[in-house]
């Protein structure tokens, strides 16, 4: 034992030495910070380089003069402004102070002179739902059996994607946002509509960095949906169950925001912070369930994962469906997420659907459907494969699939050709909304071209430029609000068009789209019943599913 103790003595000595060293380092660190700050401040005063504090990343004094034009150092989400009388230490003094402050208290790096600093990204709160401020963005009106949304201003927000880093805004807009010509974005810059890290963009040649935050203010138009009301089937402390009309999306997506079930329930029924429990295609009607709390949502989603939820649909299909029960287990592959098209393919995901004919009127059949899995468009794709697509399905009963319309998985064209033909068919019918597309999505435009797209003619571009110059003139005139305070560029731009349904830079305001008829917004697929271990909700059978229904 004594020998073992002797062997441990050198180790104990080394530990004690290390502890003494750490104590000295902490003492030196505590006094070095104020000393470094005094040295740094004194050096600035002696050299005459003292400058106003950098607030929100905008360099002051001499530093601002050296900043390249059109490349401001913007402040943004998460940036804490420095008090006006504080001095910003630099060089070795800044590094010493940062070391003294320790982890979590380091000064934010401001960058070298002329370098654009990117603020840290905002922390997003999980589970934030839509509230009154969102619902108040615009209002509805009803016309010709349609629910319509008055055009409104909306801020599209995004952080810089990895593939954008190192590229200019001009390049990004020219290659990835070709719904508008570059002339539009140049006009938007002059009108103060584009912001980078909450600072107005001055020049589209600015190069993007990681964590850059972009905000683009647009004049937004939404497609119309059916004016049929959303009826409540049930409501308790846990769930809200509604009978969803066809054509209305469940939640905001694509061009739809206010014309969605979530927004209509919030605006017209004061039902807010709802959690969708399952999906229904936009054109599908019927039982739609929402949880009122995250806990209820998780409990029911667990039942879905455990296959404890029974779903029953009803549809009307082409031709005479077999009288016996039919089971289809063909795997389904997504052809395009953007267009929303799927097909049967051996490389797809496993699926299973069970079908039973309910009636036949000599031309079409009413079929009960029980999907045992939950793939996108599963019922529609399986019925197409069986040779009995839904009678008025705008995608899977289309001639774009070829003479057999996809029966037995026979599609005599490539996926690219299929998508091209589907888009061309609905473009000719002015029904691109069925594919969640609009004309702007189809503008080919070369990445570096400023030529007008199919959406904007030369005359429209000239009008846009004139409108932009008019806005510039209004801003230069320094308008004032009711309190006599000068109005900023952005505020002046919006004051000129506030409460108006037209906007000088909006290409959609110049188009007169053809409204669909209410009948065009109905697809003969309806969610009839949802049943779980402790609940069951049903909706009425739709009129087109009655035995005596006839095609018009």
């Amino acid at each position: 034992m004594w020998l073992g103790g002797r062997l441990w003595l050198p180790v104990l000595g080394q530990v004690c030495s290390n502890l003494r060293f750490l104590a000295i380092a902490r003492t030196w660190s505590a006094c070095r910070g104020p000393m470094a700050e005094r040295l740094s401040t004194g050096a600035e005063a002696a050299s005459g380089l003292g400058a106003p504090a950098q607030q929100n990343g905008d360099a002051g004094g001499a530093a601002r003069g050296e900043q390249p034009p059109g490349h401001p150092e913007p402040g943004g989400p998460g940036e804490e402004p420095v008090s006006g009388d504080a001095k910003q230490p630099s060089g070795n003094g800044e590094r010493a102070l940062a070391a003294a402050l320790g982890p979590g208290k380091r000064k934010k790096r401001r960058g070298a002179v002329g370098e654009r600093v990117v603020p840290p990204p905002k922390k997003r709160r999980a589970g934030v739902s839509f509230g009154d401020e969102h619902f108040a963005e615009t209002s509805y009106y009803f016309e010709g059996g349609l629910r319509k949304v008055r055009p409104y201003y909306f801020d599209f927000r995004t952080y810089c994607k990895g593939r954008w880093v190192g590229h200019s805004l001009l390049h990004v807009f020219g290659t990835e946002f070709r719904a508008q010509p570059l002339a539009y974005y140049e006009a938007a810059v002059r009108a103060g509509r584009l912001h980078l890290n909450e600072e107005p963009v001055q020049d589209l040649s600015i190069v993007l960095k990681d964590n850059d935050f972009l905000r683009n203010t647009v004049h937004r138009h939404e497609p119309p949906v059916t004016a049929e009301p959303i009826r409540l089937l049930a409501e308790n402390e846990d769930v809200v169950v509604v009978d969803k009309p066809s054509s209305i999306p469940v939640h905001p997506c694509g061009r739809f925001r206010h014309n969605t079930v979530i927004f209509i329930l919030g605006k017209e029924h004061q039902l807010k912070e709802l959690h969708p429990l399952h999906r229904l295609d936009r054109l599908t009607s019927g039982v739609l369930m929402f949880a009122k709390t995250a806990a209820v949502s998780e409990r029911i989603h667990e039942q879905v994962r455990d296959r404890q939820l029974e779903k029953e649909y009803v549809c009307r299909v082409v031709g005479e469906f077999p009288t016996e029960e039919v089971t289809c287990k063909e795997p389904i592959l997504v052809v395009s997420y953007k267009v929303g098209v799927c097909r049967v393919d051996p490389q797809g995901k496993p699926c299973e659907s069970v079908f039973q004919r309910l009636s036949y009127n000599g031309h079409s059949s009413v079929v009960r459907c029980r999907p045992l899995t939950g793939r996108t468009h599963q019922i529609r794709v399986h019925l197409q494969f069986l040779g009995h697509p839904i009678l008025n399905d705008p995608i899977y009963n289309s001639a774009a699939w070829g003479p057999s319309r996809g029966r037995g998985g026979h599609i005599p064209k490539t996926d690219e050709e299929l998508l091209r033909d589907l888009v061309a068919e609905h473009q000719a019918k002015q029904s691109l909304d069925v594919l969640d597309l609009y004309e702007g999505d189809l503008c080919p435009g070369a990445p570096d071209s400023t030529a007008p797209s199919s959406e904007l003619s030369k005359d429209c571009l000239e009008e846009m430029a004139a409108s932009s110059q008019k806005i510039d003139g209004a801003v230069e005139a320094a308008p004032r609000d009711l309190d006599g305070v000068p109005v900023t560029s952005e505020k002046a731009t919006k004051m000129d068009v506030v409460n108006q349904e037209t906007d000088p830079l909006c290409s959609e305001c110049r188009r007169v789209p053809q409204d669909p008829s209410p009948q065009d917004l109905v697809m003969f697929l309806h969610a009839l019943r949802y049943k779980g271990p402790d609940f069951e909700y049903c909706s009425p059978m739709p009129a087109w599913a009655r035995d005596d229904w006839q095609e018009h």
Side-chain angles (χ1 to χ4, degrees):
M1 289 292 294
W2 179 81
L3 182 60
R6 290 185 61 187
L7 292 174
W8 278 99
L9 285 176
V11 177
L12 292 173
Q14 183 64 38
V15 170
C16 293
S17 176
N18 289 341
L19 290 174
R20 284 196 299 273
F21 176 79
L22 289 173
I24 293 171
R26 279 197 298 269
T27 304
W28 167 243
S29 223
C31 64
R32 184 172 63 162
M35 183 187 303
E37 185 172 5
R38 286 194 298 271
L39 288 173
S40 175
T41 306
E44 288 179 354
S47 62
L49 296 178
Q54 297 179 14
Q55 183 142 351
N56 292 334
D58 185 14
R64 183 180 292 119
E66 295 179 21
Q67 186 71 12
H71 290 68
E73 290 191 15
E79 181 97 1
E80 295 180 2
V82 183
S83 59
D85 57 354
K87 298 292 183 182
Q88 295 300 310
S90 59
N92 293 331
E94 182 180 12
R95 288 193 293 271
L97 181 59
L101 288 171
K105 297 182 180 180
R106 295 182 184 274
K107 288 285 184 179
K108 290 179 171 57
R109 179 179 178 275
R110 297 294 177 179
V113 173
E115 179 184 352
R116 186 171 64 83
V117 175
V118 178
K122 274 184 178 179
K123 293 182 179 178
R124 298 183 179 181
R125 290 187 297 158
V128 175
S129 185
F130 299 103
D132 291 335
E133 69 275 16
H134 304 105
F135 300 143
E137 291 167 344
T138 184
S139 59
Y140 301 115
Y141 66 101
F142 297 87
E143 182 179 67
L146 301 175
R147 175 190 292 267
K148 297 184 176 182
V149 174
R150 301 185 190 281
Y152 58 100
Y153 286 98
F154 179 77
D155 286 340
F156 280 104
R157 305 164 187 264
T158 183
Y159 280 97
C160 178
K161 302 185 185 302
R163 63 181 180 273
W164 301 349
V165 174
H167 293 286
S168 67
L169 272 175
L170 188 70
H171 173 84
V172 171
F173 285 134
T175 55
E176 299 207 25
F177 296 91
R178 290 182 288 173
Q180 303 282 7
L182 291 179
Y184 164 80
Y185 296 109
E186 292 166 351
V189 166
R190 292 194 295 273
R193 304 270 180 97
L194 288 175
H195 288 74
L196 183 64
N197 302 322
E198 298 304 339
E199 293 286 339
V201 172
Q202 305 296 330
D203 189 344
L204 287 175
S205 65
I206 190 169
V207 175
L208 295 175
K209 295 185 176 184
D210 193 23
N211 288 333
D212 269 335
F213 180 69
L214 298 168
R215 177 163 63 87
N216 181 23
T217 303
V218 300
H219 194 237
R220 189 164 179 174
H221 295 244
E222 294 191 26
V225 298
T226 179
E228 184 180 343
I230 298 176
R231 296 188 302 108
L232 266 63
L233 298 176
E235 182 184 0
N236 55 41
E237 64 276 9
D238 291 335
V239 298
V240 172
V241 186
V242 302
D243 190 359
K244 182 185 98 64
S246 182
S247 81
I248 306 179
V250 175
H251 49 70
C253 57
R255 302 181 66 208
F256 294 91
R257 179 170 170 85
H258 288 264
N259 261 349
T260 60
V261 176
I262 286 283
F263 266 70
I264 294 171
L265 290 179
K267 291 161 74 87
E268 296 184 351
H269 298 270
Q270 288 69 55
L271 292 169
K272 305 169 186 177
E273 299 185 7
L274 300 177
H275 305 258
L277 291 174
H278 59 97
R279 298 174 300 174
L280 285 183
D281 294 340
R282 183 168 68 87
L283 295 178
T284 303
S285 59
V287 175
L288 180 61
M289 298 171 55
F290 296 92
K292 288 188 173 180
T293 65
V296 173
S297 175
E298 178 55 32
R299 172 167 57 84
I300 297 181
H301 276 120
E302 186 175 349
Q303 296 173 0
V304 173
R305 290 191 292 269
D306 294 341
R307 302 287 182 90
Q308 299 181 42
L309 189 64
E310 296 180 17
K311 300 173 286 185
E312 183 178 330
Y313 291 71
V314 64
C315 64
R316 183 172 286 277
V317 303
V318 172
E320 185 176 3
F321 198 85
T323 55
E324 68 275 7
E325 185 176 88
V326 176
T327 299
C328 184
K329 297 183 179 181
E330 296 296 329
I332 292 178
L333 180 73
V334 177
V335 174
S336 169
Y337 287 98
K338 180 176 179 60
V339 180
V341 177
C342 305
R343 61 176 173 80
V344 165
D345 189 277
Q347 302 300 317
K349 293 183 178 181
C351 305
E352 184 173 0
S353 307
V354 179
F355 302 101
Q356 178 66 61
R357 192 178 88 181
L358 299 180
S359 65
Y360 174 59
N361 67 359
H363 300 282
S364 59
S365 305
V366 176
V367 177
R368 182 177 62 196
C369 319
R370 289 189 297 116
L372 304 185
T373 50
R375 307 301 179 198
T376 302
H377 294 180
Q378 177 175 322
I379 292 174
R380 299 164 67 183
V381 173
H382 276 175
L383 286 169
Q384 180 197 46
F385 180 86
L386 295 173
H388 298 278
I390 293 174
L391 187 63
N392 61 347
D393 192 322
I395 296 178
Y396 299 102
N397 192 21
S398 164
W401 295 86
S404 61
R405 304 209 173 197
R407 180 171 188 165
H410 179 63
I411 307 168
K413 55 183 70 177
T414 65
D415 288 348
E416 291 75 16
E417 292 169 338
L418 171 63
L419 292 174
R420 179 200 63 199
D421 294 345
L422 274 171
V423 169
E425 176 182 322
H426 286 286
Q427 192 173 21
K429 295 178 180 178
Q430 296 190 15
S431 58
L432 284 173
D433 288 334
V434 167
L435 304 176
D436 293 326
L437 297 174
Y438 79 113
E439 288 290 340
D441 294 323
L442 308 179
C443 299
D448 56 350
S449 171
T450 56
S453 67
S454 61
E455 203 174 338
L456 293 174
S457 65
K458 182 178 179 181
D459 292 340
C460 287
L461 285 175
E462 292 175 353
E463 180 184 344
M464 179 191 299
S467 299
S468 178
Q469 291 171 4
K470 182 179 179 181
I471 290 174
D472 290 340
V475 172
E476 291 172 2
R480 298 176 178 270
D481 61 17
L482 296 178
D483 298 323
V485 179
V487 177
T488 62
S489 170
E490 179 180 9
K491 190 174 179 182
T493 300
K494 290 191 177 182
M495 279 182 62
D496 189 45
V497 288
V498 69
N499 295 326
Q500 294 187 18
E501 296 183 20
T502 59
D503 177 81
L505 301 187
C506 178
S507 60
E508 288 200 65
C509 287
R510 285 183 284 272
R511 291 174 30 239
V512 183
Q514 179 180 345
D515 281 341
S517 68
Q519 293 76 22
D520 293 336
L521 298 177
V522 176
M523 185 175 69
F524 298 157
L525 177 61
H526 181 80
L528 192 64
R529 183 176 68 97
Y530 270 66
K531 180 181 180 182
D534 53 356
F535 64 84
E536 181 175 3
Y537 301 108
C538 301
S539 65
M541 190 76 80
W544 50 258
R546 296 172 184 160
D547 295 346
D548 58 352
W549 183 87
Q550 293 291 329
E551 292 105 301
H552 298 293

